[in-house]
Amino acid sequence: MKTRTLYLAFVAAVCLATMALIKPAPKDYEREIYAVESAFQKMTVEKGIAEAFWFYADDNAVLKRQNDTLIKGRVAILKYYAEQDLKNASVQWSPDVVSVSQSGDMAYTYGKYVWTIGSGSSKKEIKGVFHTVWKRQNDGSWKYVWD
């Protein structure tokens, strides 16, 4: 009886240890990316566009902006947004598509965005489609490498 109990305890311990090593399914990864996109967008409202785009950028991130201008690196991204007049600006977006690599270390999203600039009669909306590439960081967080 003791041998059987020890055997069952051993099998249970091995099963639990194995389960702890299994990576979440890709659907779990997709939920992570949706949550990161949502937190990123929320931060633009709460802390400002410049800080949000800086915070969620990978050290080697690249932004593609007007006229195919590329802004490379977190510091340059912060500088770019800090130089913009964003007092009366906001941006809203939500991904229509999220796809994550099977290994869970890279992902991409795309969907529609709306930039609102100005106020009152000078208020202007710019609509478009965004595409973001995400990379899982060593600490498990996600940062964009392309936006």
Side-chain angles (χ1 to χ4, degrees):
M1 187 66 161
K2 282 186 178 180
T3 304
R4 184 174 182 200
T5 302
L6 285 173
Y7 175 75
L8 289 174
F10 174 75
V11 169
V14 169
C15 287
L16 288 172
T18 302
M19 288 174 64
L21 296 174
I22 295 173
K23 290 186 175 185
K27 289 291 180 195
D28 291 338
Y29 294 151
E30 288 178 12
R31 282 189 282 276
E32 284 181 29
I33 296 297
Y34 275 111
V36 169
E37 285 276 10
S38 178
F40 182 11
Q41 202 283 310
K42 185 178 177 183
M43 183 183 262
T44 66
V45 174
E46 294 176 350
K47 299 209 174 187
I49 293 168
E51 186 168 340
F53 274 83
W54 170 81
F55 180 83
Y56 281 97
D58 178 84
D59 289 337
N60 299 307
V62 176
L63 291 178
K64 179 184 172 290
R65 292 299 177 253
Q66 302 87 352
N67 302 316
D68 291 333
T69 301
L70 298 180
I71 297 103
K72 300 175 185 178
R74 284 181 90 205
V75 173
I77 290 167
L78 182 61
K79 182 178 183 224
Y80 169 79
Y81 280 113
E83 292 172 351
Q84 306 301 311
D85 181 11
L86 300 174
K87 284 180 267 182
N88 291 314
S90 65
V91 60
Q92 296 283 322
W93 74 88
S94 180
D96 294 326
V97 172
V98 171
S99 184
V100 185
S101 67
Q102 189 66 35
S103 61
D105 59 350
M106 296 292 292
Y108 67 85
T109 60
Y110 63 86
K112 296 170 189 68
Y113 70 82
V114 177
W115 277 91
T116 305
I117 301 167
S119 61
S121 62
S122 67
K123 185 175 175 179
K124 181 169 95 171
E125 283 190 348
I126 302 166
K127 297 179 181 185
V129 175
F130 73 90
H131 174 247
T132 306
V133 178
W134 294 92
K135 179 181 174 187
R136 187 181 297 276
Q137 305 297 295
N138 290 336
D139 66 0
S141 67
W142 290 93
K143 302 285 183 176
Y144 69 86
V145 294
W146 174 267
D147 187 61

